[in-house]
Amino acid sequence: MILYQLRYLLVPLYTIFWSLLACFVGVVDRRGDLVNWMGTTWLRWIYSTCQIRVKVAGLNHIDQTQTYVIMCNHQSLIDVGALVLALPIRWRFVAKRELTWIPLFGWALFLSNHILIDRSNRPRAVETLRKAARRVSADVNVIIFPEGTRSKTGELQEFKSGGFHLALEAGVPILPVTVSGSRKITPKGTLSVRSGVVKAQFGKPIATHGVSLTGRDQLKRQVHDAI
């Protein structure tokens, strides 16, 4: 009991500390790399305190000279941190703009140059994805959870199309990632955090070069099967 109480005390303190620091740094760090490093350190502190170990497999599938659209399943809040801690490459999230309304955390997210989608405005969302495609074509790997929300049952849900449009327009491979074990640690609908092991398994990149928009559904099935 005391251990759990300590976790629930320390995690908010970590969040306040790193978010405030990131907000100050983010004003001058326009690329967002330093703020992202702070975010990764924040997650490392939380996982260490909660005794969550991230086991990584398939790193040999990642070519660090290549940029990717990284797609991962989503069962728990823990998935996000596990993926970030496992990645050996520079990354940004594709996230919904509503997250920026969260005090401190959302402000740091906004300042760290992530790709924020306004889902209530389709033309603006499409234009944001076009700009994101240009960034991916240059030097930024982006993370997207194609299910759009966490699975209640643990079963992989149907994928949304936005991330596939992004990958096709950027002309870069999709890197599939399967995170397992996270649902046991923090199921959807609860904030309780158990100790345990989360595995992040990187699959073989899936090429998008030469795939037209009409082939998008086949690409979705291929990535769905890989994850």
Side-chain angles (χ1 to χ4, degrees):
M1 180 63 70
I2 294 176
L3 177 61
Y4 281 97
Q5 290 174 342
L6 183 62
R7 288 179 183 177
Y8 290 126
L9 172 64
L10 289 176
V11 169
L13 289 176
Y14 295 162
T15 304
I16 292 169
F17 172 75
W18 283 110
S19 296
L20 280 173
L21 189 58
C23 287
F24 283 115
V25 172
V27 174
V28 293
D29 176 32
R30 301 312 303 163
R31 281 173 58 89
D33 289 339
L34 184 54
V35 174
N36 265 22
W37 174 85
M38 291 178 179
T40 302
T41 306
W42 166 66
L43 288 167
R44 192 171 287 116
W45 283 19
I46 290 174
Y47 279 51
S48 177
T49 297
C50 295
Q51 297 180 312
I52 300 169
R53 185 167 66 89
V54 179
K55 185 177 178 181
V56 186
L59 288 176
N60 56 299
H61 294 311
I62 300 177
D63 178 356
Q64 298 200 29
T65 65
Q66 169 71 58
T67 53
Y68 300 98
V69 172
I70 302 160
M71 294 193 180
C72 182
N73 63 314
H74 202 14
Q75 298 183 347
S76 164
L77 291 172
I78 297 298
D79 301 333
V80 179
L83 179 55
V84 165
L85 294 175
L87 276 169
I89 51 179
R90 188 168 174 254
W91 52 270
R92 292 293 184 275
F93 280 113
V94 175
K96 54 188 179 182
R97 183 169 288 274
E98 300 95 282
L99 290 176
T100 62
W101 301 342
I102 301 172
L104 296 179
F105 170 81
W107 305 340
L109 184 72
F110 174 76
L111 290 169
S112 50
N113 206 19
H114 292 279
I115 297 158
L116 303 171
I117 305 292
D118 183 355
R119 298 189 298 183
S120 66
N121 187 320
R122 180 174 173 75
R124 187 179 298 170
V126 170
E127 180 57 30
T128 301
L129 285 173
R130 286 188 182 135
K131 290 179 180 177
R134 291 194 287 272
R135 290 177 63 186
V136 176
S137 298
D139 66 344
V140 176
N141 302 281
V142 299
I143 299 170
I144 189 164
F145 294 91
E147 295 169 274
T149 187
R150 286 168 288 163
S151 171
K152 292 180 180 179
T153 64
E155 295 294 322
L156 195 60
Q157 303 171 98
E158 184 178 350
F159 286 173
K160 309 293 185 185
S161 297
F164 295 90
H165 282 296
L166 171 59
L168 289 172
E169 184 152 345
V172 300
I174 294 170
L175 182 66
V177 191
T178 305
V179 172
S180 56
S182 58
R183 190 164 172 266
K184 294 179 181 178
I185 292 173
T186 303
K188 184 175 181 177
T190 178
L191 292 177
S192 64
V193 181
R194 303 186 182 108
S195 300
V197 177
V198 181
K199 183 177 180 181
Q201 171 76 53
F202 294 94
K204 293 180 180 179
I206 296 170
T208 63
H209 182 71
V211 179
S212 65
L213 283 177
T214 56
R216 183 194 62 197
D217 289 342
Q218 173 62 31
L219 182 64
K220 286 169 73 173
R221 286 191 293 272
Q222 190 177 357
V223 175
H224 193 281
D225 289 346
I227 294 176

